Amino acid sequence: NPAMQRVLALVPVLAESPISVLICGETGTGKEVLARTIHEHGARAKKPFVAINCGALPDNLLESELFGYKKGAFTGAVRDKPGRFSAARGGTLFLDEIGEISPAMQVRLLRVIQEREFEPLGGSRPEPMPARIIAASHRDLLKMVGEGLFREDLYYRINFIRLDIPPLRERREDIPALSMVLLERSNQQMGGNVAGIAPEAMCALQDHDWPGNIRQLANVIE
């Protein structure tokens, strides 16, 4: 698909760059796969790739997951626990569904990205954060900025380069190749020996609209 070719053509360039990248696309289009591809094709490939779904955690848990905490920071903190910022040091931190974070967390995240340092909960001194940031969202962040739901300064901090992944219904010509890759993976994971996909089955796959995108296609192949 031409739109995907344009996206993939940028991967080698972005892989060698430290700048922040924003990946946009519907749920299931492969945003994390693209983020990992960028990470694995650059100088950071041997360093950690750390992913966190920002929309899956409430603010207090997201804060401790990102920043970590020191012993005694709160009830139950019986030892130091490094956060995702520490774990990603030297590598890539992938912030999935960044459009779901609260205004308060947006402020904290903006400061980390600006200052390139963070302070664990209960800590008394900042720590460096030399990780590359790749963010992703299925929401229109620019529209959210206009509605006052997402900070404009944070948007431009994470959006040096924006990559838009088209939904599967707009790249039907890729379905045969994707299906065969997913079939091979399914064979390996499930101990199967399915040799291929019948032409009439492939036509049915290409005719479907795939509201769940590649994730849904993978489930159907399995």
Side-chain angles (χ1 to χ4, degrees), residues 8-157:
L8 295 175
L10 289 171
V11 167
V13 179
L14 295 176
E16 297 299 337
S17 170
I19 64 174
S20 298
V21 178
L22 176 62
I23 303 175
C24 296
E26 294 180 6
T27 299
T29 49
K31 297 185 289 294
E32 183 171 344
V33 172
L34 180 58
R36 286 184 181 274
T37 302
I38 293 171
H39 171 79
E40 291 169 358
H41 282 75
R44 299 174 185 267
K46 295 183 179 180
K47 298 293 184 178
F49 178 92
V50 178
I52 184 168
N53 188 331
C54 299
L57 298 171
D59 253 19
N60 58 334
L61 289 180
L62 179 60
E63 187 175 32
S64 63
E65 280 293 314
L66 285 174
F67 295 87
Y69 54 80
K70 297 295 184 180
K71 179 180 178 181
F74 50 83
T75 303
V78 296
R79 58 180 175 81
D80 291 357
K81 180 189 176 184
R84 304 296 176 96
F85 287 131
S86 292
R89 185 168 285 126
T92 300
L93 179 63
F94 176 60
L95 301 173
D96 197 9
E97 298 304 349
I98 195 171
E100 307 302 318
I101 63 176
S102 70
M105 185 57 67
Q106 291 177 32
V107 173
R108 293 210 64 184
L109 186 57
L110 173 64
R111 179 172 175 79
V112 172
I113 296 175
Q114 282 180 333
E115 305 297 330
R116 306 300 298 174
E117 62 182 22
F118 68 98
E119 193 169 299
L121 300 179
S124 57
R125 66 181 67 175
E127 300 180 13
M129 201 286 292
R132 197 251 185 96
I133 300 289
I134 299 181
S137 179
H138 75 282
R139 304 180 67 178
D140 186 339
L141 295 186
L142 191 56
K143 182 180 178 182
M144 291 179 66
V145 169
E147 295 171 345
L149 300 175
F150 198 84
R151 292 183 64 96
E152 184 177 25
D153 44 8
L154 177 58
Y155 174 76
Y156 287 111
R157 280 288 177 180

